[in-house]
Amino acid sequence: MSDQKTPRKSAFGEVKGHIDALATGFKYFVDPHRMTLDYPAEAMELPKNYRGFFRLVDEKCIGCSLCEIVCPSNAIVMMQLPVAQSPAPQAGAQAPARPGPKVKKRPVVDWGMCIFCYFCVDVCPTEAFEPSSIHDLSYFEESEYRPTFEGFLKLPESPSKNSKKVVAKLDEKNGIKYEEKGDKE
Amino acid sequence: MMTFLYFIPNSWLPLLESAFYALIFPGFVAILLLAFFIIWFERKAAARVQMRYGPLWVSKRTGGIIQLLADMIRFSFQEFIIPQGADFIPFVFLPGLLLAFSVLPTVFIPIGPDYSHIFPSNYSLLLAVAFTLVIPVYLVALGWAADNKFSFIGALREAYLLVSYEVPFILAVASAFLLYGSLDLVKIVGIQEGTLPGIILNPLAAIVYIIAVIRATGRVPYDIVEADSELVFGPYTEYSSLMFGFVMGVPYIELYSYSLLFSVLFLSGWAPVTGIGFLGGLILPGIVTFVKSVIVMCFLVFLRAVYPRYKLDKAVRAGWSWVFYLALAALLLSAVVSRVLW
Ligand code: SF4
Ligand code: SF4
């Protein structure tokens, strides 16, 4: 792209500009430099700290609501759940002196509002959110954006789970080139 | 002639040939297949130049060539919505008329030397041009009938451009007439066979013709009428379902008629191949003409990959200034060349 010139403001310059444009187009038509990722077949290998969907680890959460407070887009709702429903109440070494609370508070994220800033993941004192780099999900209906509590306990399945993982490389000729992850070493 | 059709009485043969001409080879079936191909090619070529893939996932092995078929199937299951304020009869029937009138010029354009017994005419050039020039009128009417601001603006733009580019177009055709001294397209090709292709005899006329065709069929850089980023789809905005498929195909069919006329007028038509009879005088030369016009079409749709869209005022100004001057120069050149040659 280094040979870009602005055509002169004369009849000859304009004609030359048209011819140059056509020639450039023809050059790319014969020798295409495609930058498209063939997405479902191959997907980008994402960096390690890529902020994607995350899930709640119920056992770690202490219901402190810090995540709800810190969330900048109000995507987190604290749910009140009856304790009896919780999967495994810690079989403690000693029996509690007084009966525990009847309800516990647990966060649930509305993915339609979440901006994936990960403030909640960072602020959580017990690291109760398990992050992942899954980012390529879509839903058919708006209601599916809001997972139930049970739905929030497991990570969604990525559509590009089985696709070939590639990494993007800067390339002098092409702009961007995708290489298979294997030959990165 | 057609010995393999021995069971058909001889008197029927001309009729059959005409039917074949109109319905199958340069006519309807060929046009449909070509429209499919050219739309695919347009998207694919633009994608290649713009570092993309274009249609791919419908039949990946063939590069998505049946994408349009898939689109058509989808269109045919959609509801055809007629807007409340629309003028019912023009809104529903004008697309059909548009389609018919965009196919019609191909009847007058010969594709082989033995064409004269299918449609004998000394004025085939005049007829072909006359019928291509009817289309914009329907387009303006269609934009008016749809009762939608985008359709209306599109129709107005069409009217503006129509006035400013029809004159150069007619001048280009007139300079072709002046050059060959005949309105019979078969004779015109004969003259070019004897001398040189028209694009060498009068390149200016060819350039003006091409510019006017780009304008008339709404290809980039003159897709001002349809301008999908400004007016949703110009005069065709309100059409849905199969009707949308129709009106989307119309510019491509127009493009075909214009390219066919171009290859006959300026690329010496069926030049290396001549003969007589149905096969030798029509089909084989016809294939040559057809291939030439397909190449012209491919070039015209390829422009999408290179150019941005002209502004309306710039396009109108260009139409009345340098395109017009070029057309006048082409006329002059024709006069000179025809004086020198004949
Ligand atoms: S990632 Fe950010 S926006 Fe999303 S729930 Fe956590 S704090 Fe809210
Ligand atoms: S997820 Fe973490 S921050 Fe949120 S309520 Fe549970 S313990 Fe507190």
Side-chain angles (χ1 to χ4, degrees):
Chain A
M1 300 264 197
S2 58
D3 52 344
Q4 273 185 351
K5 288 176 216 107
T6 30
R8 291 266 166 71
K9 282 240 174 212
S10 67
F12 178 74
E14 286 207 5
V15 171
K16 189 174 172 299
H18 282 286
I19 292 171
D20 280 353
L22 283 176
T24 310
F26 190 72
K27 197 181 86 191
Y28 278 85
F29 178 67
V30 175
D31 178 22
H33 296 172
R34 281 164 174 150
M35 287 193 195
T36 316
L37 183 67
D38 193 5
Y39 164 61
E42 47 184 39
M44 288 258 268
E45 175 71 30
L46 294 163
K48 215 173 143 217
N49 290 334
Y50 191 89
R51 301 198 292 259
F53 286 80
F54 47 88
R55 78 177 187 101
L56 180 72
V57 183
D58 188 26
E59 296 77 35
K60 285 191 189 169
C61 178
I62 53 173
C64 68
S65 298
L66 276 178
C67 50
E68 187 207 15
I69 295 163
V70 81
C71 177
S73 58
N74 286 342
I76 294 185
V77 180
M78 296 302 290
M79 293 181 104
Q80 308 254 345
L81 300 161
V83 169
Q85 273 190 10
S86 70
Q90 294 277 347
Q94 75 239 51
R98 56 195 171 99
K102 293 263 163 47
V103 290
K104 60 176 183 183
K105 288 165 101 185
R106 289 291 179 267
V108 170
V109 172
D110 182 342
W111 295 123
M113 290 164 83
C114 175
I115 55 171
F116 297 96
C117 65
Y118 266 33
F119 282 4
C120 56
V121 179
D122 292 339
V123 83
C124 178
T126 58
E127 296 181 358
F129 288 118
E130 184 192 323
S132 80
S133 61
I134 297 166
H135 67 294
D136 38 2
L137 282 184
S138 56
Y139 300 102
F140 283 105
E141 283 184 33
E142 202 204 341
S143 60
E144 293 173 54
Y145 278 122
R146 274 168 254 119
T148 55
F149 177 66
E150 281 75 26
F152 192 45
L153 288 180
K154 50 184 183 295
L155 280 174
E157 196 161 286
S158 164
S160 60
K161 197 177 51 165
N162 298 324
S163 40
K164 197 170 79 183
K165 290 282 188 269
V166 292
V167 278
K169 283 259 180 77
L170 281 185
D171 184 60
E172 210 163 282
K173 178 169 158 272
N174 226 23
I176 296 176
K177 218 169 65 182
Y178 297 99
E179 274 171 13
E180 241 185 286
K181 205 208 159 196
D183 38 79
K184 202 175 105 180
E185 271 79 25
Chain B
M1 204 190 292
M2 293 162 91
T3 39
F4 59 96
L5 292 175
Y6 58 90
F7 51 87
I8 291 169
N10 259 349
S11 54
W12 285 20
L13 279 179
L15 192 68
L16 265 185
E17 284 176 11
S18 303
F20 183 86
Y21 195 83
L23 290 179
I24 304 188
F25 177 43
F28 209 68
V29 173
I31 289 175
L32 275 188
L33 291 179
L34 188 64
F36 269 58
F37 167 75
I38 211 75
I39 292 173
W40 171 80
F41 178 84
E42 175 169 23
R43 300 175 62 179
K44 213 66 182 167
R48 269 178 91 93
V49 176
Q50 295 164 357
M51 309 180 176
R52 301 180 280 119
Y53 275 96
L56 186 68
W57 278 88
V58 181
S59 166
K60 204 171 177 183
R61 214 174 310 156
T62 56
I65 197 163
I66 56 171
Q67 174 73 46
L68 196 72
L69 202 66
D71 287 346
M72 272 300 179
I73 292 169
R74 186 174 67 82
F75 287 147
S76 61
F77 284 105
Q78 273 178 342
E79 187 192 354
F80 177 40
I81 300 164
I82 299 171
Q84 224 166 25
D87 229 340
F88 181 83
I89 292 178
F91 186 79
V92 174
F93 290 105
L94 277 176
L97 269 179
L98 263 180
L99 203 64
F101 271 90
S102 52
V103 181
L104 214 51
T106 56
V107 175
F108 308 110
I109 303 168
I111 53 161
D114 209 15
Y115 161 84
S116 50
H117 67 271
I118 285 179
F119 192 84
S121 168
N122 290 332
Y123 304 104
S124 40
L125 173 60
L126 206 58
L127 281 169
V129 171
F131 276 94
T132 54
L133 296 189
V134 176
I135 302 167
V137 180
Y138 287 118
L139 205 58
V140 173
L142 187 131
W144 178 263
D147 189 34
N148 173 304
K149 63 181 173 192
F150 296 123
S151 312
F152 182 58
I153 295 172
L156 274 187
R157 289 180 170 194
E158 172 75 25
Y160 267 125
L161 290 170
L162 169 70
V163 176
S164 44
Y165 280 83
E166 219 79 307
V167 177
F169 178 71
I170 292 172
L171 284 182
V173 173
S175 45
F177 164 61
L178 203 62
L179 181 62
Y180 308 121
S182 167
L183 282 174
D184 185 355
L185 288 169
V186 178
K187 258 190 216 137
I188 286 177
V189 175
I191 292 168
Q192 291 181 66
E193 272 181 311
T195 53
L196 283 166
I199 195 165
I200 297 171
L201 291 179
N202 192 344
L204 295 182
I207 291 172
V208 174
Y209 185 97
I210 284 286
I211 292 172
V213 168
I214 298 170
R215 202 304 297 169
T217 55
R219 296 300 95 211
V220 184
Y222 286 108
D223 63 337
I224 301 162
V225 175
E226 288 163 20
D228 22 23
S229 52
E230 307 162 17
L231 316 172
V232 182
F233 201 47
Y236 314 124
T237 302
E238 283 291 354
Y239 286 95
S240 52
S241 79
L242 212 52
M243 234 37 165
F244 176 78
F246 273 152
V247 294
M248 195 191 75
V250 166
Y252 293 94
I253 297 172
E254 266 183 76
L255 190 63
Y256 172 68
S257 322
Y258 279 117
S259 313
L260 213 55
L261 191 58
F262 182 81
S263 55
V264 168
L265 271 185
F266 294 107
L267 298 179
S268 64
W270 49 88
V273 184
T274 39
I276 41 161
F278 182 68
L279 198 67
L282 213 51
I283 298 303
L284 292 182
I287 289 170
V288 177
T289 320
F290 191 72
V291 168
K292 279 181 184 172
S293 51
V294 169
I295 292 170
V296 173
M297 282 173 86
C298 286
F299 171 71
L300 290 179
V301 298
F302 172 74
L303 296 179
R304 165 166 299 249
V306 180
Y307 282 107
R309 183 182 310 128
Y310 263 118
K311 259 169 73 189
L312 178 64
D313 57 336
K314 274 200 158 188
V316 171
R317 194 182 303 141
W320 282 119
S321 60
W322 62 268
V323 180
F324 186 62
Y325 303 148
L326 216 58
L328 289 181
L331 214 55
L332 208 67
L333 185 65
S334 275
V336 173
V337 171
S338 65
R339 209 45 194 272
V340 171
L341 285 183
W342 295 284

